[in-house]
Amino acid sequence: MILHLTRELLKEPQAVSTKCFAIRAVRIPGDVTRWLSLRENATAEMRPMPGPWSESDFAREFTAQKWFRADRMWVAEANEMTETHPDDDKILSGSVTLIPRPGIEKNGPTARVHWLLVHPDRRRKASGER
């Protein structure tokens, strides 16, 4: 299912880390491979399943776009260490990307959630509430 969410921007969004997650702007090119892995995991149960993406697909969808700024694409990493994901190879727990849109009529600028991904291991665990 594809859903576009649009909301008026009252101020520029800021990434805020929590007790469980480090939330920060994406690092290009450093996070691209991990983002692609997150996308693959997050969409694995979709039917029909989307095809795999390469770094050039990422560039075409994001960095080649005039609207793209790394500070509008955030990633979340779990703060805790695990045996399966050592600190130097943490998987991304999630990601969100906003696209700015010009204001409509008297409203101010808006943002649309362009991509929202959550790793299956992090779903329905109330992680976002901590």
Side-chain angles (χ1 to χ4, degrees):
M1 169 168 63
I2 297 173
L3 176 67
H4 282 159
L5 303 172
T6 303
R7 183 166 191 157
E8 183 178 353
L9 288 177
L10 301 175
K11 62 181 181 174
E12 188 74 22
Q14 301 293 316
V16 179
S17 293
T18 69
K19 177 179 157 184
C20 298
F21 296 99
I23 301 172
R24 60 174 173 75
V26 69
R27 295 180 189 128
I28 307 292
D31 287 327
V32 173
T33 301
R34 295 186 323 143
W35 189 93
L36 291 170
S37 177
L38 171 63
R39 179 190 176 275
E40 184 176 324
N41 285 307
T43 61
E45 296 177 6
M46 290 177 71
R47 297 294 177 257
M49 191 168 109
W53 267 20
S54 66
E55 289 185 19
S56 12
D57 294 316
F58 181 93
R60 183 186 68 246
E61 179 75 9
F62 298 113
T63 57
Q65 301 299 319
K66 290 180 183 179
W67 58 262
F68 181 80
R69 285 185 10 203
D71 65 341
R72 290 187 181 136
M73 180 180 210
W74 298 285
V75 295
E77 295 172 312
N79 281 333
E80 71 270 5
M81 298 270 296
T82 67
E83 292 178 21
T84 56
H85 305 293
D87 192 44
D88 60 347
D89 193 28
K90 285 184 184 176
I91 62 168
L92 296 179
S93 297
S95 178
V96 65
T97 306
L98 298 180
I99 294 179
R101 298 284 189 212
I104 300 169
E105 297 175 13
K106 294 181 181 180
N107 296 335
T110 60
R112 176 176 289 161
V113 174
H114 184 59
W115 278 86
L116 175 64
L117 300 170
V118 178
H119 194 282
D121 293 349
R122 290 293 182 185
R123 292 182 189 155
R124 303 193 184 282
K125 300 203 185 239
S127 299
E129 296 175 11
R130 296 182 192 170

